Each structure stands twice: as C-alpha cells, then as structure tokens.
Amino acid sequence: MDYQAIIESLFRGLIGERFIVFALAAIGLNLHFGYTGLLNFGQAVFMAAGAYGLAMTVVTIGPAVNRNTGLNMSESTLFWVGIFMAVVVFPLVLALLMGIPTLRLRADYLAIVTIAVAEIFRLIARSPSLDKWTGSSDGLTGFTSTFYDLSPFTTTDRYFFNLFTGNQFFLVLVGWSILALGTLLCWLMIKSPWGRVLKAIREDEDAARSLGKNAYSYKMQALILGGMFGAVGGMVRAVGFSVAQPDNFITDVTFFVYVALILGGAGKVFGPLVGAALLYAVLDSSDTILRQLVANDYIPESIMSGTQVGQVRFMLVGLGLILLAAFRPQGIFGNKEEMALDDR
Amino acid sequence: MTDNSPREDDYPAMNETFDRASPFADDAGVKAGPRPDISDEEADAAFAEVVTVDGVDPVAARAALADVPWEPGAPKPDPILVADGVVRRFGGLTAVDVDHVEIQRGVITALIGPNGAGKTTLFNLLTNFDTPDAGTRVFNDKNIDNVAAHNIAGHGMVRTFQLTKALSKMTVIENMKLGATGQKGESLFRSIFPFMWRKQEKEIEERADDLLIHFKMDHMRDQFAGTLSGGQRKLLEMARALMVEPEMVMLDEPMAGVNPALTQSLLGHVTGLRDQGMTVLFVEHDMDMVQEISDWVIVMAEGQIIAEGPPASIGENTAVVDAYLGSHHDSALDLDQEL
Ligand SMILES: Nc1ncnc2c1ncn2[C@@H]1O[C@H](COP(=O)(O)OP(=O)(O)OP(=O)(O)O)[C@@H](O)[C@H]1O
Ligand SMILES: [Mg+2]
C-alpha cells in the first residue's frame, strides 16, 4: 500500500482547491439557509455566474466590446474587469432575478425558482446556438494567464510537502486568503445587529416585521451577498480548472454544498469551513484508499473493481451522512440544545 | 411600581438552564445580567423612562371618556387611531366589516367578542399585516393605508401576536435588542465596522436589561427564547414590543395560557404602560380581566362592532348578550362564568 499517496490525498482534500471552492459556496449558502432561512437550491448557478462572469468577460464579451467600440482593453485589464463582473455584476443580476418575484412569497417558492433557474442557465450555457458566447458544452478556456502570471512560484517545482504544483499552490494561497477574509466578514456581519435581523427573519418573519424590520430587503441582501460568496467559489473553481464548463455546475454541486454546510453545522460561522474540509478529506482519501485496496487485492475483483471506486466513495459519504443525522444531527459545530428547540 | 406578585421563578422549571438560574437570586441581592448593581426602584424608574409617551395625560384621557356615548363607532375626544369602512373578505366570508371605530389616546381599550368575531383580522388590518378590501386607517392624524407593515413600528404602533412569536433560537436578550428601532448596525455596510454602532448597541442593551428587570425576566436573559414557557413567551413578546418605544401597543390575547399569578403581574404591567401615557388596545376573552383593567370596551361579533362602552356597561347590553349566547336569552350575562 502506498501510504504516502493516501496521506497526500487526505491533505489535498482538507486544504486544497476543491475545499476552498466548496467552503466559499457554503459560506454563501450559510448566509442564505443557515442564518436567513432562505431555501436556495441553486447555489450552483451562483457559482456558475462567477466562473462565466470571468471567462466570458475575458474570452468572449471583452474582445467583442473591444472590436465594436474601438476600446483597446488588454487581456489583463479584461481579467480585472472580469473579476468584478464575476463577483459583483453576475451574481447581483441573478439574485435580483430570482429574489424579486419570490422573496415576498412563502419560502418554498424561492426553492422552486432557484433550482429551476440553475438548470435553465446551465442548459442555456450548453446550447450550441450560444457557442460564440459561452463555448457551449466545451465551455471557455484561456482566461487564466493573467492570474498565473502573477504567481511567484515556478511551474516545474512542487510545493508544500510536494502536494501542489507552483500554479496550484498559488491558487490555494490566494484561495485561502479569500476564505479567511470572507469568514472574517461573515463573522463581523453575523455578530452585528444586521445579523440579528437575519436570524429573526429565519425564526419568524412576521415578528421581525412587527418590530420594524423590512424582511424583504434583508432577505434580498442575504440572497445577493450569499450569491456573491458562491460566485467567488465558482470563479476559483474555473481558474483552478482553467475552464468554465456548464457541467461543472450541475444540481449535484448545490447538494454537495448543502452536505458541507450541514456536516459542519448550519448557522455557525465555522460550519462551512469544517464541513467542506471534512467532506473533501473523506471523498479524496477514500478514493485513494479504495483504489489502493483494489490494486493490492485486499478487495477482490468480485466485490469491487477499480472503476467502481468512484461510486463507492459516494456511498460511503452517504453512509456517513446517515450516521451524522442519527447521532449528531446538528452538525459538527451545531448546538444540540438549539436544535431541539424546533420540537417545542 | 413595585408589585408583590409572584416572580416568574414560581413557574415550574422548564429545563436545566432554567434550573440553574437561582429562584432566590433576588433575595440574595444578586442578579444575573450585566447590571447587578441596579435596584428595583432604579429599574422601575428606567422602565418609566423607556415607556413614557410625552404629552399624554392618562388621567385626563380617561376622564374624557365619560362624555362618550355608549354606541358602536362612538367618536372619541382624542383618538389616536381611526378606522373607516374597513372590510375584509375571505372568499364568501366577511371576516371584518367595521363602519367606523376610534381608539382613545392614553387609555386601555379592550376588544372582545366570540371566537371568529374578527378581532385578530382587525388587528392585522390596523397594522397593515393584511390588506383590507376597502377602508382607510388613520394613526396619529396620518393616513397609514399605504404604509408597509414593517414601517408601522416606526410610526409608533406595535402589535403582538395571538400565537406568540418568540424567536426561539435567539436568546432572550437578543430578542429584546431586536426590538429597538433606528439601529445603525442594522445596515449591511455599517455592520462590518463595529465602532460605528457599538455605543448605540450598549445603550440598547441597557434599555433591554432595564425592561427585563422590570418584567422579572432578567435571570433568563441569556437563555434561548425557545426554552421559555408559554406564559414567559407572552411576557417576552410584550417586553420586546416596548423596545420599539411605541405610542400604542396592540396585544392579541396577552393573557391567554398564563397562570393566574403571572396574569396579575401582566395586568400590572399593562396598567403601568397606560399610566406612562401609552395607548393600549388588547384582545381578551376573560371578562374579569377586561373589567379589571380596561377603560373602554369594544365588542365585535361576526366582523362588526356591535357595542362600545365602559366595562361595566357591557354585561347588560342586549346585543352583546345575543352575540355570545344567541338571541332569545332573557337574562343579563353572568360575566364571571359565561364569557
Ligand atoms: N387567512 C384566512 N383565510 C380564511 N379565513 C380566515 C383567515 N383569517 C381569518 N379567517 C376567518 O375570519 C374570521 C375571523 O377570524 P379571526 O381570527 O379574526 O377571529 P378572532 O376574533 O380573532 O377569534 P379568536 O377569538 O378565536 O382568536 C374567522 O371566521 C376565520 O375563520
Ligand atoms: Mg384571534
């Protein structure tokens, strides 16, 4: 057995790029679901907004604007404009689109609309007729050079106990900085009177309104802000893969974000971080462990072959979640007493 | 305003956390919360300051009711709230159909009526939690027809709910602090700069603690509101409403499900509010309590106001008797038993 490979995969899961992506998306979902009680089943579309906001600005929209206006924005200018589009404009437009018709209604309407919008946008991005703008099912590439040019690390060496290539390590460092900043912001907001209003809305919207709080406006703020966190996550993902592709943002992605959030503890500032780290540590290391076990004939071919590992590890995660629901339904960080209040 | 009614502590302990808050904390001269130094008198003075409505003379306001005729829709000498032609239908059912009603400023008005009379619906309409099919509402001489429900508190009117809305997963003190209006830290931008709102937050917390001491709930301040008993939640909801610093409070069955001893202290709180100039409108089924604290009674049945008058006049009113017991009933109501 190659124990080093197992440990490496464990650590890559714990602190690597996918952890960062899902932790960011889960921070956003925590603002929606954990603090405000918004049932957003379309966090994937906010992540896609981040990925495509950047990719389209650099690769398709930006050059088209250059051609048609005589502006001559360089690729690096377009990259920074793209970041703004990805983090602010795209998620803002999406949140308004989904929030305006539903946030005055009962919670389930938002759930329906978000899940539908997420799929609609993915299918639109896949559509061959929009190939010129979205790259259809192949997606868009070629928007990351400005970012990786900033990297102080070489592309030939490996860094951090040989876990990452130079580019990966740069992305992880930047990702961690964003994550730290995002967690700090989230913590400040939640501890403030603003965060108190969010919680009040989660508990009882009418009570909040009777005390003079504009529930609609706060829900919209939470939806936009949480969407922006999701977009940052999606953007990191696109930069990490060097591609923005529609099928990276299928509905499953949303549910992985939910798993991370619930695992860590919804409504807790550090819940998303711990949940995402744990989820990917388990997913990545179980993958390596199972493959090793199969390769070394500890698991006979008749039970499981190497190609089935991918599915089996999800079964393991599912089992883990069932155990969690049975023994620690509040998540790692959650408070059992608090959870029990629902039943009174 | 110190009362000798039993403390909340007399309530059976709900859970561990509640047990731990010593029921004798007060006797030992020790109090939970951040202001252990404050005496009951100081707390009451602070309470009076929090709830006082300037420019209202409650004694004169009550005396002025003497000239008001005992009839539905009677005009009041100094109305704070006026509703005209307010109609609300649910499908074929007309839940509320009020021609005209005025609520006198600075007094306690009771709104009574059989189940389904439309009292809660009228509350919803007066506070814009529901939109009437027709009609206008005027509060403090301002038309509030198009004011959003969340802005009603800012106009000085705050309501509680028949089904108590304690915010379970927030602590008692957080519940209280939420009630304060005009909080700087409630803006998203300012929320991340604590220095911009910390001072105000401290003032709000002090005000909240004063109210909690007055309502004898200070030992529960850091408990989740979800752990409170039904009666304690009613108290919390009322105290929280006062954090808004309203001119008028509307209480939907504040005494329902509250034990008799606690009811007495709640009644004391309600009259205490009035004595500071606040206007109180409350829904209640227990006629004893209505008799005890209200200055004026409005009776609803089947969506309409069928009688008005001082509490003593209501029992003999034949329309009221008919509404509660059905017509062809020939004796006056025995208020102690029937309502
Ligand atoms: N949302 C609604 N949809 C349909 N009918 C409603 C609705 N709300 C209230 N009603 C009806 O309106 C009538 C008045 O209800 P309301 O709750 O105002 O009564 P109430 O006087 O507060 O009674 P109670 O003393 O039992 O609280 C009832 O017949 C009720 O069924
Ligand atoms: Mg009612």
Side-chain angles (χ1 to χ4, degrees):
Chain A
M1 292 264 288
D2 183 353
Y3 290 104
Q4 194 183 337
I6 294 175
I7 294 188
E8 270 179 21
S9 65
L10 181 70
F11 273 93
R12 199 162 320 145
L14 268 179
I15 62 169
E17 159 203 319
R18 277 197 299 170
F19 152 71
I20 293 166
V21 170
F22 280 85
L24 281 166
I27 289 177
L29 192 64
N30 202 18
L31 279 172
H32 294 154
F33 173 72
Y35 290 110
T36 322
L38 298 178
L39 278 176
N40 168 17
F41 282 127
Q43 189 66 342
V45 76
F46 282 111
M47 297 168 75
Y52 278 92
L54 177 63
M56 287 170 71
T57 308
V58 178
V59 185
T60 61
I61 300 177
V65 171
N66 274 349
R67 253 178 280 126
N68 293 329
T69 60
L71 273 174
N72 211 354
M73 291 180 281
S74 68
E75 192 185 325
S76 75
T77 310
L78 285 177
F79 178 81
W80 297 112
V81 175
I83 299 252
F84 179 74
M85 299 298 281
V87 179
V88 180
V89 180
F90 275 44
L92 180 73
V93 171
L94 259 182
L96 292 176
L97 188 74
M98 300 198 280
I100 288 173
T102 57
L103 287 181
R104 282 186 208 280
L105 307 174
R106 236 173 33 208
D108 10 1
Y109 290 91
L110 180 71
I112 298 166
V113 164
T114 47
I115 201 166
V117 166
E119 274 303 277
I120 290 169
F121 271 83
R122 187 177 66 86
L123 294 173
I124 290 176
R126 273 182 127 262
S127 148
S129 59
L130 290 175
D131 190 57
K132 194 171 144 227
W133 298 107
T134 63
S136 65
S137 58
D138 291 336
L140 296 171
T141 52
F143 52 90
T144 54
S145 55
T146 312
F147 177 76
Y148 289 119
D149 284 348
L150 294 172
S151 166
F153 308 111
T154 68
T155 46
T156 44
D157 295 316
R158 288 187 76 82
Y159 292 83
F160 203 72
F161 308 107
N162 283 337
L163 278 183
F164 305 110
T165 67
N167 278 353
Q168 281 173 342
F169 191 45
F170 182 54
L171 182 76
V172 167
L173 282 185
V174 172
W176 267 92
S177 316
I178 297 173
L179 205 51
L181 185 71
T183 306
L184 175 72
L185 278 179
C186 189
W187 181 77
L188 282 170
M189 291 184 294
I190 289 310
K191 296 288 162 209
S192 76
W194 184 80
R196 186 161 64 215
V197 177
L198 291 197
K199 283 187 246 169
I201 289 170
R202 177 191 69 195
E203 296 298 302
D204 196 310
E205 206 178 309
D206 280 341
R209 261 199 253 130
S210 76
L211 297 170
K213 317 301 173 197
N214 185 349
Y216 177 70
S217 157
Y218 280 94
K219 288 201 284 186
M220 188 61 92
Q221 292 172 36
L223 186 67
I224 293 170
L225 205 68
M228 287 176 175
F229 273 104
V232 176
M235 188 178 70
V236 172
R237 183 172 189 155
V239 172
F241 286 177
S242 290
V243 62
Q245 215 174 17
D247 293 345
N248 282 340
F249 304 102
I250 52 177
T251 309
D252 301 26
V253 171
T254 297
F255 291 107
F256 274 103
V257 181
Y258 264 101
V259 170
L261 178 62
I262 289 166
L263 200 65
K268 302 285 162 207
V269 172
F270 289 101
L273 300 190
V274 174
L278 221 78
L279 177 66
Y280 280 95
V282 171
L283 274 181
D284 287 3
S285 65
S286 65
D287 187 74
T288 317
I289 293 172
L290 287 172
R291 274 181 211 291
Q292 298 271 337
L293 290 174
V294 172
N296 292 304
D297 284 335
Y298 288 111
I299 298 179
E301 191 79 8
S302 59
I303 292 182
M304 186 171 93
S305 69
T307 50
Q308 290 165 333
V309 164
Q311 284 82 21
V312 171
R313 65 193 181 124
F314 285 116
M315 289 161 62
L316 288 177
V317 170
L319 182 68
L321 281 174
I322 292 170
L323 293 175
L324 185 82
F327 296 108
R328 205 175 161 78
Q330 69 272 33
I332 311 250
F333 264 92
N335 174 335
K336 190 147 198 177
E337 277 172 43
E338 196 177 330
M339 185 95 180
L341 294 177
D342 280 340
D343 306 332
R344 277 173 48 87
Chain B
M1 276 227 0
T2 32
D3 63 25
N4 297 320
S5 58
R7 295 182 60 93
E8 260 302 286
D9 307 307
D10 296 347
Y11 234 75
M14 298 300 307
N15 58 27
E16 255 186 282
T17 352
F18 190 44
D19 269 344
R20 261 186 267 123
S22 163
F24 307 110
D26 205 9
D27 303 340
V30 188
K31 272 191 187 136
R35 308 187 70 190
D37 48 326
I38 191 169
S39 70
D40 274 0
E41 288 71 33
E42 282 173 295
D44 289 338
F47 167 78
E49 199 180 307
V50 171
V51 301
T52 296
V53 180
D54 292 329
V56 178
D57 179 354
V59 179
R62 227 172 314 158
L65 283 176
D67 306 328
V68 177
W70 303 355
E71 62 192 25
K76 310 290 184 311
D78 181 17
I80 187 168
L81 181 64
V82 182
D84 258 306
V86 173
V87 179
R88 177 68 167 109
R89 293 188 200 89
F90 295 110
L93 174 89
T94 304
V96 166
D97 182 1
V98 169
D99 277 344
H100 184 82
V101 67
E102 298 186 3
I103 310 292
Q104 167 79 345
R105 188 192 309 274
V107 306
I108 300 176
T109 304
L111 180 60
I112 67 169
N115 290 121
K119 305 180 294 293
T120 299
T121 309
L122 181 62
F123 258 45
N124 290 343
L125 296 172
L126 293 177
T127 51
N128 285 359
F129 270 76
D130 193 3
T131 321
D133 297 308
T136 58
R137 288 89 73 208
V138 174
F139 180 74
N140 252 341
D141 299 328
K142 268 185 265 144
N143 184 302
I144 54 166
D145 288 345
N146 297 317
V147 174
H150 65 262
N151 285 328
I152 290 288
H155 279 70
M157 173 157 58
V158 62
R159 57 91 52 99
T160 66
F161 295 86
Q162 182 168 1
L163 298 172
T164 324
K165 292 186 186 299
L167 307 165
S168 302
K169 289 184 192 170
M170 296 168 70
T171 62
V172 168
I173 187 75
E174 277 184 307
N175 263 270
M176 293 292 292
K177 287 196 279 186
L178 179 76
T181 46
Q183 295 192 41
K184 295 195 187 99
E186 284 182 356
S187 118
L188 175 55
F189 172 73
R190 278 185 291 232
S191 72
I192 54 176
F193 302 107
F195 66 89
M196 296 178 100
W197 47 263
R198 196 168 276 148
K199 185 161 159 281
Q200 189 193 31
E201 175 84 355
K202 207 167 152 259
E203 288 162 10
I204 290 170
E205 190 164 321
E206 270 178 25
R207 186 144 58 87
D209 276 316
D210 288 342
L211 277 174
L212 284 180
I213 291 172
H214 182 83
F215 279 85
K216 309 223 186 307
M217 294 185 77
D218 44 325
H219 58 289
M220 291 182 264
R221 98 189 267 284
D222 297 314
Q223 255 172 263
F224 283 122
T227 66
L228 303 187
S229 73
Q232 292 165 339
R233 288 176 200 212
K234 289 266 174 203
L235 266 180
L236 174 61
E237 201 183 18
M238 189 164 146
R240 190 177 65 194
L242 297 178
M243 285 298 290
V244 173
E245 300 187 272
E247 285 176 58
M248 176 173 179
V249 286
M250 303 177 58
L251 311 170
D252 200 346
E253 304 202 15
M255 269 68 104
V258 174
N259 81 5
L262 184 53
T263 302
Q264 276 310 315
S265 77
L266 255 171
L267 293 180
H269 293 314
V270 175
T271 48
L273 295 179
R274 175 204 46 204
D275 295 339
Q276 303 300 334
M278 206 172 279
T279 308
V280 181
L281 176 65
F282 77 111
V283 173
E284 183 50 61
H285 284 292
D286 186 327
M287 277 308 289
D288 278 343
M289 290 171 211
V290 172
Q291 298 279 1
E292 195 172 332
I293 63 164
S294 61
D295 304 309
W296 192 258
V297 179
I298 298 176
V299 188
M300 275 185 90
E302 293 173 7
Q304 298 183 330
I305 291 178
I306 55 162
E308 276 194 45
S313 72
I314 295 301
E316 288 104 60
N317 187 310
T318 47
V320 179
V321 177
D322 288 351
Y324 273 93
L325 304 178
S327 43
H328 317 300
H329 195 280
D330 50 12
S331 69
L333 270 179
D334 181 351
L335 293 171
D336 288 341
Q337 292 156 21
E338 303 285 2
L339 296 192

